Amino acid sequence: MLNDLKRQVCKANKELAAQGVVRFTWGNVSGFEPGMGLFVIKPSGVPYEELQPELMVVMSMDGQKVEGRLEPSVDSEIHRAIYMAWPFSVSAIAHTHSTYTIAFAQAGLPIPPMGTTHADYFGGTVPVTRAIEEKEMDEKYGENTGNLIVATAQDPERVPAVLVNRHGPFTWGKSPMEAVHNAVVLEQIAESCYLTRMLNPKIESMDDALLNCHFSRRKTNYGQKK
């Protein structure tokens, strides 16, 4: 079932490790098949170098495991909540624990657009969620976190990322590799933003006109990739 999507998801998960935005078994990628109401996600606790397409786990939109001998990622409920909210906008999700995006998330700070690299991929500030409340930390913790991501994102197609307060980044796209691509770019712009502010603490976000120029140019000329 969904063998092609399993291959895509497996390859994208391995790319997270290749790009250096995850360590050990941290992070995960999933892919969604809206016509079947199913998504494929990395199994929990398996090192990236040991991943194979047949180890990917197939999940339903009611949170049940449909196929796979291993357990799904502990973040599968977060992914499911996002797919439930945006079934026609999001086809894949990536989650990492990359250093600079984690720093912004732990600080409870959004990532503002400081330059054209940001604007090429994200058409505005990458937002951060509010802190999750104790009453939300029950058996629906993952689902509540996903719902918090959805509530925080203003336009999931224009800014395909949200930082979860005290947790880390979630990015998405039209394919598993695009979700990973956005995760790698997000780490780069987080690092650049941090260093820019270190050099000039008084600097403000880039001008909206320049941001919109680059974001529109990228979409027109390059699709979803620079």
Side-chain angles (χ1 to χ4, degrees):
M1 180 185 294
L2 298 174
N3 289 334
D4 184 57
L5 186 57
K6 287 178 182 177
R7 286 190 289 269
Q8 291 181 51
V9 170
C10 181
K11 182 179 179 181
N13 273 285
K14 287 177 175 288
E15 187 67 13
L16 286 182
Q19 291 292 336
V21 290
V22 293
R23 296 182 182 181
F24 301 112
T25 61
W26 307 348
N28 40 72
V29 181
S30 70
F32 181 45
E33 176 45 68
M36 299 179 69
L38 301 173
F39 68 96
V40 175
I41 194 166
K42 174 186 177 290
S44 178
V46 179
Y48 290 94
E49 64 271 17
E50 297 178 14
L51 291 178
Q52 298 296 329
E54 59 269 21
L55 295 181
M56 300 300 106
V57 183
V58 181
M59 301 292 294
S60 69
M61 283 296 98
D62 60 2
Q64 299 302 308
K65 182 169 71 170
V66 175
E67 187 175 278
R69 61 182 177 84
L70 301 175
E71 292 303 306
S73 164
V74 294
D75 293 321
S76 63
E77 282 294 286
I78 301 176
H79 291 238
R80 184 175 73 88
I82 295 171
Y83 291 134
M84 289 284 287
W86 299 323
F88 303 109
S89 300
V90 175
S91 299
I93 298 166
H95 170 53
T96 76
H97 285 255
S98 54
T99 302
Y100 284 88
T101 53
I102 286 289
F104 275 87
Q106 291 180 165
L109 295 173
I111 304 174
M114 307 303 286
T116 59
T117 304
H118 183 126
D120 282 341
Y121 291 88
F122 302 95
T125 295
V126 177
V128 62
T129 70
R130 63 167 172 79
I132 194 165
E133 299 177 3
E134 185 174 354
K135 65 182 180 182
E136 296 170 312
M137 300 177 198
D138 56 14
E139 68 276 6
K140 292 187 177 181
Y141 171 67
E143 181 180 344
N144 288 335
T145 300
N147 290 337
L148 197 54
I149 291 170
V150 171
T152 301
Q154 294 183 342
D155 186 336
E157 295 191 14
R158 186 173 174 86
V159 182
V162 164
L163 306 179
V164 177
N165 200 302
R166 301 285 183 170
H167 187 167
F170 284 80
T171 59
W172 47 84
K174 297 296 184 183
S175 70
M177 287 302 288
E178 184 179 304
V180 169
H181 192 87
N182 287 337
V184 174
V185 173
L186 184 63
E187 172 64 7
Q188 177 64 52
I189 65 170
E191 180 179 2
S192 297
C193 180
Y194 174 82
L195 294 173
T196 299
R197 284 176 159 176
M198 290 288 288
L199 289 169
N200 183 357
K202 296 181 179 180
I203 194 167
E204 298 181 351
S205 299
M206 68 188 299
D207 182 79
D208 284 344
L210 182 58
L211 184 149
N212 291 328
C213 172
H214 269 259
F215 185 74
S216 298
R217 185 186 69 160
R218 185 267 296 179
K219 290 194 69 174
T220 300
N221 296 332
Y222 303 103
Q224 294 302 309
K225 293 184 179 180
K226 185 174 179 182

